[in-house]
Amino acid sequence: NPVNLSTGTFDISFVVLFLLPIFILALTYDLLSGEREAGTLALIQTQRVSMRVLMAAKICARASIFVAVILFSGLIAFAYGATGTIGFGFADSAMRLVLWFAAVLVYSFFWFALGVRVNMFRKSSEANATILSCAWLSLVIIVPTLVSLVATSLYPAPSRMMLKVSQRAAFAEAEANLDETKRKFYIEHAEMVPDEDLEEYTLSFVARQEAMDIAVEPVYKRFEQQKEKQEKLVDTFQYASPAIVVQLALNDISGTSSSRFSVYLQQVYAYHAERKDYFLPKYINRQIMTSDMFSEFPEFKYVQEDISELIYRVTFPLFLLLVSTLLIYPRRISVVQGDASRDLYGANDAI
Protein backbone atom coordinates (compact mmCIF):
# COMPACT_ATOMS: atom_id res chain seq x y z
CA ASN A 1 0.00 0.00 0.00
CA PRO A 2 1.71 3.25 -1.08
CA VAL A 3 -0.03 5.18 1.69
CA ASN A 4 1.42 2.86 4.33
CA LEU A 5 4.82 3.04 2.68
CA SER A 6 4.79 6.85 2.83
CA THR A 7 3.25 7.31 6.28
CA GLY A 8 4.18 4.09 8.06
CA THR A 9 1.96 2.22 10.51
CA PHE A 10 1.57 5.09 12.96
CA ASP A 11 -2.17 5.73 13.06
CA ILE A 12 -4.96 6.14 15.60
CA SER A 13 -5.20 2.37 16.02
CA PHE A 14 -1.51 2.18 16.92
CA VAL A 15 -1.94 5.00 19.41
CA VAL A 16 -4.94 3.34 21.07
CA LEU A 17 -3.51 -0.18 21.21
CA PHE A 18 0.11 0.51 22.10
CA LEU A 19 0.57 4.03 23.46
CA LEU A 20 -2.69 4.60 25.35
CA PRO A 21 -2.01 1.78 27.88
CA ILE A 22 1.47 3.18 28.52
CA PHE A 23 0.07 6.64 29.29
CA ILE A 24 -2.59 5.16 31.56
CA LEU A 25 -0.15 2.97 33.45
CA ALA A 26 2.24 5.91 33.82
CA LEU A 27 -0.53 7.80 35.63
CA THR A 28 -1.84 4.95 37.77
CA TYR A 29 1.18 2.96 38.93
CA ASP A 30 1.53 5.12 42.07
CA LEU A 31 -2.10 5.91 42.87
CA LEU A 32 -1.70 4.74 46.47
CA SER A 33 1.94 3.76 46.68
CA GLY A 34 2.97 7.31 45.89
CA GLU A 35 0.81 8.67 48.72
CA ARG A 36 2.20 6.03 51.07
CA GLU A 37 5.81 6.78 50.14
CA ALA A 38 5.27 10.53 50.45
CA GLY A 39 3.80 10.06 53.92
CA THR A 40 0.48 11.72 53.00
CA LEU A 41 -1.69 8.61 53.07
CA ALA A 42 -2.23 8.80 56.84
CA LEU A 43 -3.19 12.47 56.52
CA ILE A 44 -5.67 11.66 53.74
CA GLN A 45 -7.25 8.99 55.93
CA THR A 46 -8.04 11.60 58.56
CA GLN A 47 -10.28 13.50 56.13
CA ARG A 48 -14.03 13.07 56.22
CA VAL A 49 -14.16 11.30 52.86
CA SER A 50 -14.07 7.62 52.03
CA MET A 51 -11.00 6.23 50.35
CA ARG A 52 -13.25 4.74 47.68
CA VAL A 53 -14.38 8.24 46.67
CA LEU A 54 -10.81 9.47 46.78
CA MET A 55 -9.66 6.67 44.49
CA ALA A 56 -12.51 7.34 42.05
CA ALA A 57 -11.65 11.05 42.00
CA LYS A 58 -7.98 10.36 41.24
CA ILE A 59 -8.93 8.01 38.40
CA CYS A 60 -11.48 10.42 36.92
CA ALA A 61 -8.99 13.28 37.00
CA ARG A 62 -6.49 11.23 35.05
CA ALA A 63 -9.06 9.72 32.71
CA SER A 64 -10.50 13.11 31.72
CA ILE A 65 -7.35 13.86 29.72
CA PHE A 66 -7.71 10.74 27.62
CA VAL A 67 -11.47 11.17 27.20
CA ALA A 68 -10.92 14.64 25.73
CA VAL A 69 -8.33 13.35 23.25
CA ILE A 70 -10.49 10.34 22.33
CA LEU A 71 -13.54 12.56 21.81
CA PHE A 72 -11.62 14.96 19.56
CA SER A 73 -10.05 12.25 17.38
CA GLY A 74 -13.36 10.35 17.18
CA LEU A 75 -15.23 13.42 15.95
CA ILE A 76 -12.63 13.95 13.23
CA ALA A 77 -13.05 10.35 12.08
CA PHE A 78 -16.83 10.76 12.19
CA ALA A 79 -16.70 13.87 9.99
CA TYR A 80 -14.54 12.06 7.45
CA GLY A 81 -16.66 8.93 7.46
CA ALA A 82 -19.93 10.87 7.07
CA THR A 83 -18.79 13.25 4.33
CA GLY A 84 -15.59 11.81 2.86
CA THR A 85 -14.94 9.26 0.14
CA ILE A 86 -15.30 6.29 2.47
CA GLY A 87 -19.06 6.39 1.89
CA PHE A 88 -20.54 5.16 5.18
CA GLY A 89 -23.19 7.85 5.41
CA PHE A 90 -24.28 9.90 8.41
CA ALA A 91 -26.33 7.29 10.29
CA ASP A 92 -23.79 4.52 9.70
CA SER A 93 -20.90 6.77 10.71
CA ALA A 94 -22.72 7.88 13.87
CA MET A 95 -23.19 4.26 14.96
CA ARG A 96 -19.57 3.46 14.15
CA LEU A 97 -18.51 6.47 16.21
CA VAL A 98 -20.49 5.17 19.21
CA LEU A 99 -18.92 1.72 18.81
CA TRP A 100 -15.47 3.27 18.49
CA PHE A 101 -15.95 5.26 21.70
CA ALA A 102 -17.18 2.13 23.46
CA ALA A 103 -14.18 0.06 22.33
CA VAL A 104 -11.62 2.67 23.35
CA LEU A 105 -13.29 3.43 26.69
CA VAL A 106 -13.59 -0.26 27.63
CA TYR A 107 -9.95 -0.76 26.67
CA SER A 108 -8.92 2.26 28.74
CA PHE A 109 -11.00 1.10 31.69
CA PHE A 110 -9.24 -2.26 31.56
CA TRP A 111 -5.83 -0.66 32.02
CA PHE A 112 -7.10 1.68 34.74
CA ALA A 113 -8.56 -1.33 36.58
CA LEU A 114 -5.28 -3.21 36.20
CA GLY A 115 -3.39 -0.23 37.61
CA VAL A 116 -5.70 -0.07 40.64
CA ARG A 117 -5.40 -3.83 41.18
CA VAL A 118 -1.60 -3.69 41.20
CA ASN A 119 -1.68 -0.78 43.66
CA MET A 120 -3.55 -3.05 46.06
CA PHE A 121 -0.49 -5.32 46.30
CA ARG A 122 0.97 -2.68 48.70
CA LYS A 123 4.32 -2.71 46.98
CA SER A 124 6.59 0.19 46.14
CA SER A 125 5.96 2.43 43.16
CA GLU A 126 8.98 0.94 41.40
CA ALA A 127 7.61 -2.58 41.87
CA ASN A 128 4.19 -1.48 40.61
CA ALA A 129 5.76 0.07 37.52
CA THR A 130 7.70 -3.13 36.82
CA ILE A 131 4.61 -5.34 37.20
CA LEU A 132 2.50 -3.12 34.97
CA SER A 133 5.26 -2.88 32.35
CA CYS A 134 5.47 -6.68 32.22
CA ALA A 135 1.67 -6.87 31.93
CA TRP A 136 1.71 -4.39 29.02
CA LEU A 137 4.51 -6.30 27.29
CA SER A 138 2.70 -9.61 27.70
CA LEU A 139 -0.83 -8.53 26.77
CA VAL A 140 0.01 -6.09 23.96
CA ILE A 141 3.14 -7.58 22.37
CA ILE A 142 3.86 -11.19 23.34
CA VAL A 143 0.39 -12.77 23.38
CA PRO A 144 -0.81 -11.21 20.06
CA THR A 145 2.48 -12.20 18.42
CA LEU A 146 2.18 -15.78 19.65
CA VAL A 147 -1.43 -16.02 18.45
CA SER A 148 -0.41 -14.72 15.04
CA LEU A 149 2.52 -17.15 14.82
CA VAL A 150 0.33 -20.10 15.78
CA ALA A 151 -2.31 -19.13 13.21
CA THR A 152 0.18 -18.73 10.36
CA SER A 153 2.07 -21.90 11.34
CA LEU A 154 -0.99 -24.15 11.59
CA TYR A 155 -2.66 -22.76 8.48
CA PRO A 156 0.02 -21.37 6.14
CA ALA A 157 -1.37 -19.57 3.11
CA PRO A 158 0.03 -20.16 -0.41
CA SER A 159 2.68 -17.66 -1.39
CA ARG A 160 2.14 -14.93 -3.95
CA MET A 161 4.97 -16.46 -5.94
CA MET A 162 2.95 -19.67 -6.37
CA LEU A 163 0.12 -17.61 -7.82
CA LYS A 164 2.45 -15.96 -10.34
CA VAL A 165 4.01 -19.30 -11.29
CA SER A 166 0.57 -20.79 -11.93
CA GLN A 167 -0.35 -17.85 -14.14
CA ARG A 168 2.85 -18.06 -16.16
CA ALA A 169 2.58 -21.82 -16.58
CA ALA A 170 -1.01 -21.57 -17.81
CA PHE A 171 -0.09 -18.75 -20.18
CA ALA A 172 2.81 -20.74 -21.63
CA GLU A 173 0.76 -23.90 -22.03
CA ALA A 174 -2.05 -22.06 -23.83
CA GLU A 175 0.41 -20.64 -26.37
CA ALA A 176 2.55 -23.74 -26.82
CA ASN A 177 1.10 -24.54 -30.25
CA LEU A 178 1.34 -21.00 -31.68
CA ASP A 179 4.10 -19.76 -33.90
CA GLU A 180 6.61 -18.05 -31.58
CA THR A 181 7.47 -15.06 -33.80
CA LYS A 182 3.90 -14.36 -34.78
CA ARG A 183 2.71 -14.83 -31.22
CA LYS A 184 5.11 -12.29 -29.73
CA PHE A 185 4.37 -9.76 -32.47
CA TYR A 186 0.60 -10.06 -32.08
CA ILE A 187 0.81 -9.78 -28.30
CA GLU A 188 2.76 -6.52 -28.49
CA HIS A 189 0.86 -5.12 -31.51
CA ALA A 190 -2.69 -6.40 -31.29
CA GLU A 191 -3.94 -3.50 -33.42
CA MET A 192 -1.91 -4.80 -36.39
CA VAL A 193 -3.44 -8.29 -36.51
CA PRO A 194 -4.71 -8.87 -40.10
CA ASP A 195 -8.35 -9.72 -40.70
CA GLU A 196 -7.62 -13.28 -41.78
CA ASP A 197 -5.84 -13.96 -38.47
CA LEU A 198 -8.11 -11.88 -36.25
CA GLU A 199 -10.56 -14.65 -35.44
CA GLU A 200 -7.77 -17.04 -34.55
CA TYR A 201 -6.04 -14.36 -32.47
CA THR A 202 -9.27 -13.51 -30.66
CA LEU A 203 -9.99 -17.12 -29.77
CA SER A 204 -6.38 -17.60 -28.72
CA PHE A 205 -6.53 -14.55 -26.47
CA VAL A 206 -9.76 -15.72 -24.86
CA ALA A 207 -8.31 -19.20 -24.39
CA ARG A 208 -5.22 -17.77 -22.68
CA GLN A 209 -7.30 -15.73 -20.26
CA GLU A 210 -9.57 -18.68 -19.52
CA ALA A 211 -6.58 -20.97 -18.95
CA MET A 212 -5.02 -18.52 -16.51
CA ASP A 213 -8.29 -18.14 -14.60
CA ILE A 214 -8.67 -21.90 -14.31
CA ALA A 215 -5.03 -22.35 -13.25
CA VAL A 216 -5.07 -19.77 -10.46
CA GLU A 217 -8.54 -20.61 -9.13
CA PRO A 218 -7.34 -23.48 -6.89
CA VAL A 219 -4.56 -21.27 -5.52
CA TYR A 220 -7.05 -18.49 -4.78
CA LYS A 221 -9.43 -20.92 -3.09
CA ARG A 222 -6.70 -22.42 -0.94
CA PHE A 223 -5.50 -18.94 0.01
CA GLU A 224 -9.02 -17.94 1.07
CA GLN A 225 -9.55 -21.18 2.98
CA GLN A 226 -6.30 -20.84 4.90
CA LYS A 227 -6.99 -17.20 5.64
CA GLU A 228 -10.44 -18.08 6.95
CA LYS A 229 -8.96 -20.73 9.24
CA GLN A 230 -6.39 -18.23 10.52
CA GLU A 231 -9.12 -15.72 11.29
CA LYS A 232 -11.21 -18.31 13.13
CA LEU A 233 -8.21 -19.25 15.26
CA VAL A 234 -7.52 -15.60 16.08
CA ASP A 235 -11.20 -15.07 16.94
CA THR A 236 -11.03 -18.04 19.29
CA PHE A 237 -7.93 -16.84 21.14
CA GLN A 238 -8.65 -13.11 21.01
CA TYR A 239 -9.85 -13.16 24.63
CA ALA A 240 -6.32 -13.99 25.77
CA SER A 241 -5.39 -10.36 25.16
CA PRO A 242 -7.48 -7.19 25.34
CA ALA A 243 -5.31 -5.75 22.57
CA ILE A 244 -6.51 -8.43 20.14
CA VAL A 245 -10.15 -7.86 21.10
CA VAL A 246 -9.90 -4.12 20.55
CA GLN A 247 -7.78 -4.47 17.39
CA LEU A 248 -10.41 -6.67 15.76
CA ALA A 249 -13.16 -4.32 16.95
CA LEU A 250 -11.42 -1.22 15.58
CA ASN A 251 -10.79 -2.96 12.25
CA ASP A 252 -14.49 -3.82 12.00
CA ILE A 253 -15.62 -0.35 13.02
CA SER A 254 -13.31 1.45 10.60
CA GLY A 255 -14.26 -0.86 7.73
CA THR A 256 -10.79 -2.39 7.29
CA SER A 257 -11.53 -5.85 8.68
CA SER A 258 -10.70 -8.98 6.72
CA SER A 259 -14.36 -10.06 6.77
CA ARG A 260 -15.45 -6.84 5.04
CA PHE A 261 -12.63 -7.24 2.52
CA SER A 262 -13.75 -10.81 1.79
CA VAL A 263 -17.29 -9.60 1.14
CA TYR A 264 -15.86 -6.92 -1.16
CA LEU A 265 -13.83 -9.51 -3.10
CA GLN A 266 -16.88 -11.72 -3.54
CA GLN A 267 -18.79 -8.81 -5.05
CA VAL A 268 -15.83 -7.95 -7.28
CA TYR A 269 -15.63 -11.54 -8.56
CA ALA A 270 -19.35 -11.53 -9.28
CA TYR A 271 -18.99 -8.21 -11.13
CA HIS A 272 -16.04 -9.61 -13.10
CA ALA A 273 -18.13 -12.61 -14.21
CA GLU A 274 -21.01 -10.30 -15.17
CA ARG A 275 -18.75 -8.10 -17.33
CA LYS A 276 -17.21 -11.16 -18.92
CA ASP A 277 -20.60 -12.58 -19.85
CA TYR A 278 -21.58 -9.23 -21.34
CA PHE A 279 -18.46 -8.30 -23.31
CA LEU A 280 -17.03 -11.66 -24.35
CA PRO A 281 -19.69 -12.58 -26.96
CA LYS A 282 -19.42 -9.10 -28.46
CA TYR A 283 -15.63 -9.37 -28.50
CA ILE A 284 -15.65 -12.74 -30.25
CA ASN A 285 -18.30 -11.65 -32.78
CA ARG A 286 -16.35 -8.41 -33.46
CA GLN A 287 -19.39 -6.33 -32.62
CA ILE A 288 -18.72 -2.61 -32.79
CA MET A 289 -19.44 -0.82 -29.52
CA THR A 290 -21.33 2.49 -29.70
CA SER A 291 -22.02 5.21 -27.18
CA ASP A 292 -25.67 4.16 -27.09
CA MET A 293 -24.62 0.88 -25.48
CA PHE A 294 -22.81 2.58 -22.61
CA SER A 295 -25.90 2.62 -20.41
CA GLU A 296 -26.13 -1.17 -20.78
CA PHE A 297 -22.64 -1.78 -19.41
CA PRO A 298 -22.60 -3.66 -16.08
CA GLU A 299 -21.86 -1.35 -13.15
CA PHE A 300 -20.16 -2.24 -9.92
CA LYS A 301 -22.08 -1.24 -6.81
CA TYR A 302 -20.67 -2.24 -3.47
CA VAL A 303 -23.38 -3.36 -1.07
CA GLN A 304 -22.59 -2.51 2.55
CA GLU A 305 -23.36 -5.08 5.20
CA ASP A 306 -26.22 -4.40 7.58
CA ILE A 307 -25.10 -2.32 10.55
CA SER A 308 -26.78 -4.76 12.94
CA GLU A 309 -24.28 -7.47 11.97
CA LEU A 310 -21.43 -5.12 12.79
CA ILE A 311 -22.99 -4.20 16.14
CA TYR A 312 -23.32 -7.83 17.19
CA ARG A 313 -19.83 -8.76 15.98
CA VAL A 314 -18.23 -5.88 17.90
CA THR A 315 -20.31 -5.59 21.08
CA PHE A 316 -20.12 -9.22 22.22
CA PRO A 317 -16.29 -9.35 22.56
CA LEU A 318 -16.31 -5.88 24.10
CA PHE A 319 -18.95 -7.01 26.60
CA LEU A 320 -16.76 -9.95 27.65
CA LEU A 321 -13.79 -7.60 27.97
CA LEU A 322 -15.88 -5.29 30.15
CA VAL A 323 -16.88 -8.23 32.37
CA SER A 324 -13.25 -9.26 32.79
CA THR A 325 -12.38 -5.64 33.58
CA LEU A 326 -14.99 -5.51 36.33
CA LEU A 327 -13.57 -8.73 37.74
CA ILE A 328 -10.06 -7.26 37.74
CA TYR A 329 -11.14 -4.04 39.45
CA PRO A 330 -10.91 -4.68 43.22
CA ARG A 331 -14.33 -4.76 44.83
CA ARG A 332 -12.93 -4.52 48.33
CA ILE A 333 -9.73 -2.55 48.76
CA SER A 334 -7.95 -1.98 52.04
CA VAL A 335 -5.19 0.46 52.81
CA VAL A 336 -2.80 -0.62 55.52
CA GLN A 337 -0.93 1.84 57.69
CA GLY A 338 1.04 0.02 60.31
CA ASP A 339 -1.36 -2.34 62.09
CA ALA A 340 -4.50 -0.47 61.11
CA SER A 341 -6.60 -1.38 58.09
CA ARG A 342 -9.07 0.76 56.24
CA ASP A 343 -11.62 -0.58 53.79
CA LEU A 344 -12.24 1.48 50.69
CA TYR A 345 -15.85 0.37 50.74
CA GLY A 346 -16.41 1.84 54.18
CA ALA A 347 -16.71 5.48 54.95
CA ASN A 348 -14.19 7.25 57.12
CA ASP A 349 -15.06 6.44 60.71
CA ALA A 350 -13.03 9.08 62.48
CA ILE A 351 -11.08 12.25 61.92
Side-chain angles (χ1 to χ4, degrees):
N1 189 324
V3 176
N4 289 340
L5 291 176
S6 61
T7 62
T9 58
F10 186 85
D11 54 10
I12 187 62
S13 179
F14 177 84
V15 172
V16 170
L17 294 173
F18 291 90
L19 301 185
L20 181 60
I22 296 177
F23 295 146
I24 293 176
L25 298 181
L27 295 177
T28 57
Y29 78 97
D30 61 346
L31 276 175
L32 288 179
S33 61
E35 301 287 356
R36 185 184 298 111
E37 293 166 358
T40 58
L41 184 59
L43 179 62
I44 293 175
Q45 289 180 279
T46 63
Q47 305 301 314
R48 192 175 291 276
V49 60
S50 69
M51 293 298 295
R52 181 180 58 181
V53 174
L54 177 64
M55 179 68 75
K58 292 167 74 71
I59 293 177
C60 290
R62 289 160 170 76
S64 61
I65 302 174
F66 300 104
V67 171
V69 175
I70 291 170
L71 179 63
F72 178 74
S73 56
L75 291 176
I76 293 178
F78 168 73
Y80 178 75
T83 60
T85 57
I86 198 169
F88 283 138
F90 182 85
D92 198 323
S93 297
M95 180 55 64
R96 290 175 184 270
L97 176 64
V98 173
L99 294 175
W100 189 84
F101 278 139
V104 177
L105 291 178
V106 170
Y107 189 59
S108 302
F109 185 32
F110 172 86
W111 292 105
F112 274 113
L114 185 61
V116 174
R117 169 62 69 178
V118 172
N119 269 268
M120 295 304 102
F121 295 161
R122 300 163 189 161
K123 297 183 179 295
S124 65
S125 297
E126 292 79 5
N128 291 347
T130 302
I131 295 173
L132 292 173
S133 298
C134 292
W136 176 87
L137 183 64
S138 300
L139 296 177
V140 178
I141 304 295
I142 297 178
V143 173
T145 302
L146 290 177
V147 172
S148 177
L149 287 176
V150 170
T152 54
S153 299
L154 292 179
Y155 308 110
S159 64
R160 302 285 181 179
M161 182 61 66
M162 183 182 298
L163 180 64
K164 291 297 182 182
V165 170
S166 300
Q167 287 179 326
R168 291 177 182 271
F171 189 86
E173 183 178 354
E175 296 183 337
N177 298 324
L178 296 179
D179 178 74
E180 183 70 16
T181 304
K182 182 190 297 185
R183 177 184 64 81
K184 289 184 177 180
F185 181 80
Y186 284 171
I187 290 177
E188 296 178 0
H189 306 281
E191 73 281 359
M192 300 182 65
V193 178
D195 291 341
E196 59 271 16
D197 294 335
L198 187 58
E199 183 177 356
E200 179 184 355
Y201 172 80
T202 302
L203 294 176
S204 174
F205 176 80
V206 173
R208 290 197 304 268
Q209 298 299 319
E210 187 71 18
M212 284 191 291
D213 290 342
I214 295 175
V216 301
E217 184 178 3
V219 182
Y220 271 127
K221 286 185 176 180
R222 176 164 174 77
F223 182 84
E224 292 297 325
Q225 291 172 354
Q226 295 297 90
K227 186 178 69 172
E228 184 178 355
K229 292 179 180 178
Q230 292 177 4
E231 293 169 0
K232 288 182 178 180
L233 183 65
V234 173
D235 289 340
T236 302
F237 290 97
Q238 65 175 309
Y239 304 106
S241 168
I244 302 179
V245 173
V246 177
Q247 175 72 81
L248 296 178
L250 293 180
N251 289 346
D252 256 334
I253 294 169
S254 62
T256 58
S257 64
S258 56
S259 60
R260 185 171 187 261
F261 182 66
S262 298
V263 173
Y264 168 76
L265 284 182
Q266 292 174 6
Q267 297 185 26
V268 169
Y269 293 151
Y271 173 68
H272 172 71
E274 184 181 2
R275 283 182 62 91
K276 183 178 179 181
D277 293 340
Y278 178 83
F279 285 106
L280 188 57
K282 296 178 174 57
Y283 181 74
I284 295 177
N285 296 326
R286 302 173 61 184
Q287 181 177 348
I288 298 177
M289 308 296 290
T290 63
S291 58
D292 296 335
M293 303 172 64
F294 183 77
S295 59
E296 302 175 0
F297 289 177
E299 296 183 6
F300 177 75
K301 294 181 180 179
Y302 176 68
V303 180
Q304 297 275 7
E305 69 172 342
D306 192 85
I307 191 66
S308 60
E309 298 180 8
L310 172 66
I311 294 174
Y312 174 78
R313 195 165 59 243
V314 170
T315 54
F316 182 71
L318 290 180
F319 173 75
L320 295 182
L321 178 59
L322 179 61
V323 171
S324 63
T325 300
L326 295 176
L327 294 176
I328 291 174
Y329 192 86
R331 294 176 54 83
R332 189 175 183 84
I333 308 173
S334 61
V335 178
V336 175
Q337 282 293 110
D339 296 330
S341 176
R342 176 173 300 276
D343 186 358
L344 274 129
Y345 264 121
N348 196 345
D349 298 325
I351 299 180

